[in-house]
């Protein structure tokens, strides 16, 4: 009898269901294409997983110029500071405490107490009065000027001097001035000398208008 050719074996493991396209030919169903893997979540404060850019060699032209009011990169230290910069850094900070001539001495005493409570050593403070002597200075001067100035030279306590003694007093980190009277020119003569004696801080207790007219509106 005639042999009937065997139909080809269809292995289910090799082929899946077939779809019938418009042309009538059968085509295997395409396998699903795996999508991209989800990117790892970025760490807090860091950008996502971007490939780092290759290092770039910086040149002097790459240094950013700081805009006014915007902090820029720190400038490299120079071998020597200019005279203007040195004088600006040497200028003391000035604080003004408004007070009348009658209350200027009390305001200066309160300022000294605050300085000592904040950690200032007594020998770092010089107090100057433009009018009457401070009671301590009047008491010490009663024993003679030699004993009075010996305590100044020792430099281990707050020293009180009047306007006439400013030129003899040595510089101290903090100078407190009580504009407690005196002649009309007393403040004009005393305040510039007091500022020259102050290494870090100058505190002036008195009338703001008088003080600003002498030391400038920036006080």
């Amino acid at each position: 009898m005639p042999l009937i050719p065997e139909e080809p074996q269809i292995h289910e493991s090799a082929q899946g269901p077939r779809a019938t396209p418009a042309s009538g030919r059968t085509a295997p169903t395409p396998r699903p294409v795996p999508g991209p893997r989800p990117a790892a979540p970025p760490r807090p404060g860091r950008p996502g997983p971007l490939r780092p850019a290759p290092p770039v060699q910086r040149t002097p032209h790459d240094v950013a110029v700081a805009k006014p009011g915007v902090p820029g990169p720190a400038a490299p230290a120079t071998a020597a500071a200019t005279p203007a910069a040195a004088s600006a850094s040497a200028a003391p900070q000035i604080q003004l405490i408004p007070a009348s001539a009658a209350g200027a001495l009390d305001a200066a005493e309160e300022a000294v107490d605050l300085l000592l409570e904040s950690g200032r050593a007594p020998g770092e403070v010089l107090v100057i009065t433009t009018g009457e002597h401070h009671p301590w200075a009047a008491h010490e001067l009663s024993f003679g000027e030699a004993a009075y100035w010996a305590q100044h030279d020792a430099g281990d306590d707050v020293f009180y001097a009047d306007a006439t003694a400013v030129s003899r007093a040595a510089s101290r980190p903090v100078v407190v001035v009580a504009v407690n009277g005196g002649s009309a020119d007393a403040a004009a003569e005393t305040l510039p000398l007091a500022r020259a004696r102050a290494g870090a801080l100058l505190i002036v207790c008195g009338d703001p208008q008088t003080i600003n007219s002498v030391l400038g509106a920036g006080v």
Side-chain angles (χ1 to χ4, degrees), residues 11-96:
H11 300 282
E12 295 183 0
S13 61
Q15 295 181 350
R18 298 173 181 271
T20 305
S23 61
R25 297 181 58 186
T26 60
T29 301
R31 297 180 180 179
V33 179
R37 296 181 179 179
R43 297 180 181 178
R46 297 183 59 183
L50 301 178
R51 181 176 300 177
V56 179
Q57 184 176 3
R58 296 181 63 86
T59 64
H61 300 287
D62 296 328
V63 179
V65 178
K67 296 180 181 180
V70 179
T78 55
T82 60
S87 61
S89 61
Q93 179 184 358
I94 301 176
Q95 294 182 3
L96 171 60

Side-chain angles (χ1 to χ4, degrees), residues 97 99 102-117 125-129 133-137 157-161 176-180 203-205:
I97 300 178
L105 194 56
D106 290 338
E109 281 292 302
E110 184 176 356
V112 171
D113 291 340
L114 292 175
L115 288 169
L116 299 180
E117 291 175 2
V125 182
L126 170 66
V127 180
I128 300 171
T129 57
H133 285 284
H134 185 276
W136 180 92
D157 202 353
V158 180
F159 190 77
Y160 297 84
V176 181
V177 179
V179 185
N180 61 334
I203 301 176
V204 186
C205 307

Side-chain angles (χ1 to χ4, degrees), residues 167-210:
S167 58
R168 183 172 176 180
S171 300
R172 292 199 176 188
V174 183
V175 175
V176 181
V177 179
V179 185
N180 61 334
S183 64
D185 297 333
E189 297 173 356
T190 303
L191 291 178
L193 293 175
R195 179 167 54 182
R197 297 293 185 273
L201 178 62
L202 172 64
I203 301 176
V204 186
C205 307
D207 176 60
Q209 184 176 358
T210 301

